Amino acid sequence: MKVNSDNASEWMISGPGAKRRLLCENKALMMVEFRFETGGIGAPHHHVHTQTTYVASGLFEFTLSGETKVLKPGDGLLIPSNAVHSCICLQEGVLFDAFAPRRDDFMQAHGWPLS
């Protein structure tokens, strides 16, 4: 079991006003915490991974496949494989994202070994 604590976890800049840290992973699934400042941006992008996003705090404007909605604490979002998506943080907050399968590009960027 791979468990990450605050001591082992390193924050990495993921975009303007945003940072991330890897929480746990295996080949099939990964959980990542994102922290955004007000005005922080998750630029439009897509990837082969299916993604879920849970809003733990703050207020976020998400655009998914051309449709825009505001998400608040307790809201969740499913992002299908290869769907173009982005977000703007309207009020400082935290997102918890899960990716299936795991994001090996995140693993490499954070210096975690691929196993």
Side-chain angles (χ1 to χ4, degrees):
M1 171 176 27
K2 178 104 177 178
V3 177
N4 210 7
S5 69
D6 283 324
N7 293 335
S9 178
E10 294 291 327
W11 288 98
M12 175 175 275
I13 301 300
S14 61
K19 61 184 179 179
R20 71 172 184 245
R21 69 180 181 143
L22 310 182
L23 298 177
C24 55
E25 57 80 30
N26 67 21
K27 288 181 182 180
L29 185 64
M30 168 182 273
M31 182 178 282
V32 179
E33 178 181 3
F34 288 86
R35 294 196 176 194
F36 283 81
E37 300 170 1
T38 299
I41 296 171
H45 66 285
H46 64 89
H47 41 72
V48 299
H49 313 83
T50 298
Q51 176 180 343
T52 61
T53 296
Y54 173 78
V55 180
S57 64
L59 200 61
F60 294 85
E61 180 182 273
F62 273 88
T63 300
L64 172 61
S65 299
E67 183 178 349
T68 301
K69 292 188 177 184
V70 174
L71 276 67
K72 63 186 182 326
D75 288 344
L77 179 66
L78 176 68
I79 301 168
S81 175
N82 289 312
V84 176
H85 57 285
S86 62
C87 73
I88 299 171
C89 182
L90 303 176
Q91 179 183 14
E92 180 179 350
V94 175
L95 303 175
F96 288 98
D97 287 6
F99 297 92
R102 75 176 178 203
R103 296 280 308 256
D104 287 352
D105 57 330
F106 283 10
M107 300 270 297
Q108 292 169 334
H110 282 265
W112 282 24
L114 299 177
S115 54

